[in-house]
Amino acid sequence: MRYIKTYLLVATLFIRAIAGHAQSIVETGVSRALADHRKEHVSSVSYKLSLDIPADKTVDIKATETISFTFKPNGQPLQLDFKEDPKRITAITTLSFSKEHILLDPKLLLSGKNEVELQFMAGNGALNRNDDYLYALFVPDRARTVFPCFDQPSLKATFWLTLQVPTTWKALANASVRDSVIKPDSKTYTFNSSDTLSTYLFSFAAGKFSSLKRDPGKLHPEF
């Protein structure tokens, strides 16, 4: 029995060592191993995202973002997902990019709450841009094609969104509008915090929309 217990202990330690080593390997996409590892070390995630959406769908969307999270250090870089050209990232404290991931230096991460600030050009992979409107569709794992994030369902987060749009456009998101400011050439919508969501459920839309109100009791008069 002693040999069996010793064997099981050695085997368990070996598996843990292999699992830990796997996290230092950067792979394209979000593997189950990466998702599980981040779930163990990252919590209390919040995204503060601001997008400047021009009327011309061929013009890039300028963006800023602050990602807040609680972190348990493990001596390895923390991987943020961004499935875009790294040249679209215009400012970050330190940038190391590999295989669709921004690698955050473990020396710059704290035990506890951290904030990462970025400036970038939003990707268009999950933004359906048209001449007079756009809408985001991040299902199943496409949020990372637009903005850096932990793009896995198990790391839910709150989203604080600001959209700057042309003055003739309106905007909607997962949360209610906190305030809006109109300038000669733009209108800025600031939204309240969303509920705690997976990245694939976060969404927004903006465009030349009209409001329509109906009495629910009159929608189906035959009933």
Side-chain angles (χ1 to χ4, degrees):
M1 290 296 293
R2 180 183 300 175
Y3 295 110
I4 294 175
K5 289 181 179 178
T6 302
Y7 173 80
L8 291 174
L9 177 59
V10 172
T12 300
L13 292 175
F14 177 74
I15 291 171
R16 288 180 178 175
I18 292 297
H21 177 68
Q23 304 318 309
S24 64
I25 300 174
V26 181
E27 299 177 321
T28 300
V30 180
S31 67
R32 178 61 182 270
L34 174 60
D36 289 345
H37 182 77
R38 291 195 301 205
K39 177 61 177 176
E40 181 181 351
H41 292 274
V42 177
S43 61
S44 304
V45 183
S46 179
Y47 299 96
K48 187 176 182 181
L49 183 64
S50 179
L51 303 174
D52 183 357
I53 302 173
D56 186 346
K57 65 180 182 181
T58 65
V59 177
D60 281 332
I61 297 174
K62 296 179 181 178
T64 61
E65 179 182 18
T66 300
I67 306 174
S68 304
F69 56 92
T70 299
F71 183 60
K72 292 193 299 183
N74 60 351
Q76 299 173 7
L78 179 60
Q79 299 182 34
L80 274 176
D81 311 323
F82 191 46
K83 191 178 179 181
E84 258 296 349
D85 186 340
K87 293 180 180 179
R88 298 184 74 86
I89 303 171
T90 56
I92 188 174
T93 304
T94 180
L95 175 60
S96 178
F97 194 95
S98 178
K99 298 181 180 179
E100 303 177 359
H101 298 286
I102 300 170
L103 306 182
L104 302 179
D105 189 336
K107 296 178 182 178
L108 301 178
L109 295 174
L110 304 174
S111 177
K113 187 173 181 180
N114 291 261
E115 287 191 351
V116 177
E117 297 182 357
L118 305 100
Q119 295 178 15
F120 59 100
M121 298 295 180
N124 291 304
L127 294 182
N128 297 276
R129 300 183 68 178
N130 297 271
D131 290 333
D132 52 5
Y133 70 94
L134 68 75
Y135 64 94
L137 185 61
F138 295 143
V139 174
D141 60 350
R142 303 175 70 207
R144 60 196 172 101
T145 69
V146 176
F147 63 99
C149 59
F150 301 112
D151 203 8
Q152 61 188 75
S154 60
L155 275 182
K156 295 177 173 59
T158 54
F159 293 83
W160 299 81
L161 178 66
T162 299
L163 296 179
Q164 182 172 302
V165 299
T167 52
T168 57
W169 287 26
K170 297 181 180 180
L172 301 169
N174 296 88
S176 59
V177 175
R178 187 173 70 196
D179 60 55
S180 59
V181 177
I182 299 177
K183 296 181 180 180
D185 57 350
S186 66
K187 186 174 185 179
T188 301
Y189 287 86
T190 302
F191 295 89
N192 290 308
S193 172
S194 71
D195 293 332
T196 304
L197 304 169
S198 298
T199 46
Y200 76 92
L201 292 175
F202 171 56
S203 191
F204 54 87
K208 295 181 180 179
F209 301 144
S210 298
S211 300
L212 178 63
K213 295 183 179 180
R214 290 184 179 178
D215 185 342
K218 296 181 180 180
L219 291 178
H220 302 287
E222 65 272 20
F223 294 109

